[in-house]
Amino acid sequence: AGGEQEEDGAEEKKEEEEEVGSCWGEPPAKRVKSEAFGEDGEGREDGAEEKEVVEQKRARGQNKSRPCMKPNHYEQTRLCPSVTQGCAEKCYFGSRCRFLHDIREYMATKPADLGHSCVLFETFGKCIYGVTCRFAQAHLGDGYQNIVNVDLAKQWEGKALVRNNLPKDLQHQLRKRKFSFRRAEEYLRALSEPRGDGGKGGKATGCSVEKEEMSNCTAPREGLGDSPECPVLPEQGEDPKADTLQSSGPTSGEEASSIQTVGPVTDEDVIKLRSCEKKKLEIQGKLYLAPLTTCGNLPFRRVCKRFGADVTCGEMAVCTNLLQGQSSEWALLKRHHTEDIFGVQLEGAFPDTMTKCAELLNQTIEVDFVDINVGCPIDLVYKKGGGCALMTRSNKFEQIVRGMNSVLDIPLTVKIRTGVQEKLNVAHKIIPKIREWGAAMVTLHGRSREQRYTRGADWDYIAECAKIASPMPLFGNGDILSYEDANRAMQMGVSGIMIARQVPGGALIKPWLFTEIKEQRHWDISSSERFDILKDFSNYGLEHWGSDTQGVEKTRKFLLEWLSFLCRYIPVGLLEHLPQKINERPPYYLGRDYLETLMASQNVDDWIKI
């Protein structure tokens, strides 16, 4: 700022100015605080003050000293996937590949095998992980050749065990923003149109669309000229006949290329389904496994399905991450072939992202229903306007439900809580609106956001809301840990019960709860039977996440997460009175054998032993 400088001293002065500027990182008025002065009025040294601030920031939060959970040691000596698949000469990266291509060099640094039998080889006749499998000695021959059981492999050839994978071409379209959201954009344009009374669009547009659909359900359609969406009047100078011809079928180049047809095009492919023609969600009286974040993964759902769960739902998926094509988020939508009634749960705060995500899933994956998460209590979701916050944002909530319902060909369900504040229930006011907006079912968790997962669920209030929701089905959720709790809940007038993750929680503490409810008995399950369940979960995890080092680490991680819930189960044979209550905390006790005592331990070292 002091004018022109000489060329020789310009660089030195510039460095001095940068050092001075870095010292004045914030205004002096902010740095001078009452806490910065001692009792004698003299100021503290700046270095000591900054050191205190750093220490305070480090102390903030929980368990900051915990090391990173992601293991990175196997990344340094990882074998190239092209070698594992038997096509090393076709490596995509060529000479730039940072992975190993020498099998002998890899085997010299590979950790020891964990067992003598590989679950993938025994089940499917072939282990796709080859030499990288941590049980490779079961299927490796001379020269590290991968052995294949041809007869067993033929039985599984062509069968899709897991559906709803993310194809690479779809991921590329999402990342380049080339995916067509035609129906969602039409609805969003209708929202932005001004209303007749001079206000902004939104509620009135949605209501008019709903009323038109209601009238179409009762009156038969006349001719092919009825448009499936809201009619848009042509502007002056345009030929309305040309628009009609263009909209009658996917004749334009872009639409024809995006729609893949198999066989002749029928009316169902061209004409939008009316609300009365949508597939109905007939799950009244069935046992519904709730979407459980982290623990409700595909292997755990397979365990619950084996014990009698009728309806399963994937973990909560964030709609913005799905629209960006994130592989980790799309993995939450995967469906095992044994899950006959399966849905996915979406979380979002705005109608544009939620409506587009609903249309995306409607076109790309196979599900029986889509659920909106309006019950998540965590701050990360709530502060962004999602989860429980939607119960206080009725306008956005309505636009989300109406928009998703307009683009989905399958039923739309909503999961809510009693309210946000503990003593201020608002669910009874919202449920009639949700029914009017077009949702097929509501699930009510009998706690508020402030209660989180503590205290007892308010089943009297759930019964009151079930009467208000009629004829729309309402499922109750909360504090179900025995068949007696389930019977008591069904007597409240609900259409069914959802078994979820209350802390401590039903399905996570005892996945055999579904069997107890169906057989109406208390199952005094032995420790060896519980250990067999853990073995099955481990095998399912190796099938799902892989039997290489990375898959083994991931299976261990989720198994330990689940054991933190399983240890809260109290064996029926040790209880003084039946049934076990959801919030009971027993004293330390010895089981009937060593394994039962180990399973009851709250110590993570004991979980690692298991």
Side-chain angles (χ1 to χ4, degrees):
E4 296 184 357
Q5 299 173 345
E6 296 180 4
E7 293 182 359
D8 297 337
E11 294 180 359
E12 296 177 1
K13 289 188 176 182
K14 194 173 182 181
E15 289 176 0
E16 290 176 3
E17 286 178 7
E18 288 177 357
E19 290 176 2
V20 172
S22 63
C23 293
W24 294 96
E26 57 181 2
K30 287 189 177 181
R31 293 174 63 185
V32 178
K33 297 180 181 178
S34 60
E35 296 174 357
F37 291 93
E39 295 178 358
D40 54 353
E42 295 183 359
R44 298 179 185 173
E45 294 183 2
D46 291 343
E49 182 186 348
E50 289 178 2
K51 191 174 181 181
E52 272 193 16
V53 173
V54 172
E55 287 178 355
Q56 287 177 2
K57 286 185 178 179
R58 284 177 183 167
R60 194 176 299 152
Q62 294 182 357
N63 208 2
K64 291 291 185 182
S65 61
R66 182 178 59 180
C68 179
M69 296 296 293
K70 184 179 178 181
N72 295 318
H73 55 86
Y74 53 81
E75 291 288 342
Q76 300 170 359
T77 57
R78 189 175 176 185
L79 194 66
C80 181
S82 63
V83 180
T84 309
Q85 296 164 7
C87 50
E89 65 279 357
K90 297 181 182 179
C91 180
Y92 178 79
F93 298 99
S95 59
R96 296 180 293 110
C97 183
R98 61 188 178 91
F99 297 127
L100 295 176
H101 284 254
D102 187 356
I103 296 180
R104 296 188 182 278
E105 182 183 353
Y106 170 77
M107 294 299 290
T109 58
K110 180 189 172 186
D113 283 356
L114 299 173
H116 300 284
S117 62
C118 174
V119 63
L120 294 176
F121 179 71
E122 292 180 353
T123 306
F124 306 109
K126 179 183 179 180
C127 178
I128 60 174
Y129 296 94
V131 294
T132 63
C133 176
R134 294 298 299 275
F135 309 88
Q137 57 183 331
H139 50 79
L140 282 187
D142 298 334
Y144 303 116
Q145 291 295 319
N146 199 19
I147 300 173
V148 179
N149 186 341
V150 180
D151 296 334
L152 188 57
K154 280 184 179 179
Q155 298 178 11
W156 295 97
E157 190 175 356
K159 294 182 180 179
L161 301 179
V162 178
R163 288 172 278 178
N164 300 344
N165 294 302
L166 176 62
K168 284 294 180 184
D169 55 345
L170 175 60
Q171 188 179 38
H172 183 75
Q173 287 181 9
L174 292 173
R175 288 178 173 176
K176 297 295 182 181
R177 298 185 179 180
K178 293 183 179 180
F179 191 86
S180 174
F181 299 101
R182 183 178 58 85
R183 293 166 68 177
E185 287 170 354
E186 286 178 1
Y187 172 78
L188 296 172
R189 276 197 301 269
L191 279 183
S192 61
E193 290 177 358
R195 296 187 302 182
D197 57 357
K200 290 186 178 180
K203 291 185 178 180
T205 307
C207 292
S208 63
V209 173
E210 191 73 21
K211 288 179 181 177
E212 188 178 343
E213 288 184 355
M214 292 283 288
S215 62
N216 287 343
C217 290
T218 55
R221 299 192 178 190
E222 299 178 2
L224 296 174
D226 297 341
S227 60
E229 281 81 28
C230 294
V232 180
L233 294 176
E235 297 181 1
Q236 293 182 358
E238 292 183 0
D239 187 6
K241 292 183 179 179
D243 290 342
T244 307
L245 289 173
Q246 287 181 3
S247 62
S248 61
T251 56
S252 62
E254 292 181 2
E255 287 193 21
S257 62
S258 63
I259 298 175
Q260 298 179 356
T261 59
V262 178
V265 178
T266 62
D267 291 344
E268 294 178 357
D269 299 323
V270 180
I271 302 172
K272 178 187 171 185
L273 289 176
R274 295 172 288 179
S275 57
C276 62
E277 297 174 332
K278 278 189 178 182
K279 179 184 175 183
K280 301 296 181 183
L281 189 62
E282 302 291 344
I283 60 173
Q284 283 84 347
K286 295 185 180 294
L287 296 178
Y288 185 175
L289 174 65
L292 309 172
T293 305
T294 305
C295 293
N297 44 63
L298 187 142
F300 175 77
R301 296 199 304 269
R302 287 183 65 183
V303 171
C304 292
K305 193 70 186 172
R306 205 187 72 196
F307 281 113
D310 298 313
V311 185
T312 54
C313 188
E315 301 175 59
M316 180 189 77
V318 181
C319 65
T320 51
N321 296 343
L322 294 174
L323 291 172
Q324 292 168 4
Q326 292 186 14
S327 302
S328 58
E329 207 72 20
W330 276 81
L332 305 178
L333 310 179
K334 289 185 178 181
R335 172 184 189 173
H336 196 258
H337 70 93
T338 58
E339 298 179 272
D340 46 356
I341 306 177
F342 175 75
V344 295
Q345 187 182 65
L346 298 181
E347 183 276 320
F350 300 99
D352 55 344
T353 53
M354 289 289 278
T355 306
K356 287 181 178 179
C357 189
E359 183 176 6
L360 171 65
L361 301 186
N362 190 62
Q363 296 182 30
T364 55
I365 66 173
E366 297 178 25
V367 289
D368 299 300
F369 62 93
V370 174
D371 186 63
I372 305 175
N373 187 335
V374 195
C376 185
I378 63 173
D379 293 338
L380 183 67
V381 173
Y382 181 80
K383 289 181 178 179
K384 292 181 179 179
C388 280
L390 281 176
M391 298 184 72
T392 61
R393 304 167 66 223
S394 58
N395 191 19
K396 294 294 182 188
F397 191 10
E398 176 182 358
Q399 292 173 1
I400 288 172
V401 176
R402 287 190 187 277
M404 294 179 69
N405 194 42
S406 67
V407 300
L408 284 173
D409 298 331
I410 52 178
L412 178 69
T413 65
V414 182
K415 187 174 187 291
I416 63 174
R417 284 179 176 252
T418 59
V420 176
Q421 298 176 1
E422 185 174 349
K423 296 182 180 179
L424 188 62
N425 294 334
V426 295
H428 63 282
K429 299 178 183 178
I430 298 176
I431 287 174
K433 296 179 182 178
I434 295 174
R435 181 185 61 211
E436 178 189 338
W437 298 338
M441 191 189 81
V442 169
T443 304
L444 178 59
H445 184 183
R447 293 181 178 88
S448 64
R449 177 184 178 264
E450 287 185 354
Q451 287 179 283
R452 300 291 289 258
Y453 300 101
T454 59
R455 302 187 186 177
D458 190 351
W459 275 95
D460 293 330
Y461 183 68
I462 293 177
E464 178 186 339
C465 291
K467 295 177 183 177
I468 297 172
S470 183
M472 178 181 65
L474 183 141
F475 270 54
N477 171 225
D479 295 355
I480 296 174
L481 195 58
S482 66
Y483 78 91
E484 294 166 347
D485 296 333
N487 294 344
R488 200 175 302 113
M490 290 301 295
Q491 292 171 3
M492 294 291 182
V494 295
S495 302
I497 53 175
M498 174 185 279
I499 299 173
R501 66 161 304 146
Q502 291 77 36
V503 182
L508 291 178
I509 285 186
K510 43 190 286 190
W512 55 92
L513 174 60
F514 301 99
T515 303
E516 290 188 354
I517 294 174
K518 290 191 171 182
E519 297 180 2
Q520 293 289 295
R521 67 184 178 95
H522 292 293
W523 185 358
D524 188 9
I525 188 168
S526 65
S527 59
S528 59
E529 289 174 310
R530 291 162 64 191
F531 193 69
D532 289 338
I533 296 173
L534 298 179
K535 284 182 181 178
D536 292 336
F537 178 86
S538 301
N539 290 336
Y540 296 157
L542 293 174
E543 286 181 27
H544 182 58
W545 291 303
S547 60
D548 58 346
T549 303
Q550 192 171 358
V552 167
E553 296 287 352
K554 193 167 284 190
T555 305
R556 279 175 171 163
K557 171 189 169 184
F558 287 109
L559 178 59
L560 288 170
E561 185 82 28
W562 187 26
L563 282 169
S564 68
F565 289 93
L566 283 172
C567 66
R568 300 171 188 175
Y569 170 71
I570 308 172
V572 171
L574 302 181
L575 285 172
E576 293 181 0
H577 56 84
L578 293 172
Q580 176 185 350
K581 297 299 180 183
I582 197 85
N583 286 322
E584 281 182 344
R585 285 287 196 276
Y588 290 108
Y589 63 91
L590 287 175
R592 290 166 289 189
D593 53 39
Y594 172 72
L595 185 57
E596 193 168 80
T597 306
L598 202 64
M599 289 179 169
S601 173
Q602 301 278 345
N603 189 354
V604 68
D605 293 332
D606 293 329
W607 305 342
I608 294 173
K609 290 179 184 177
I610 293 174

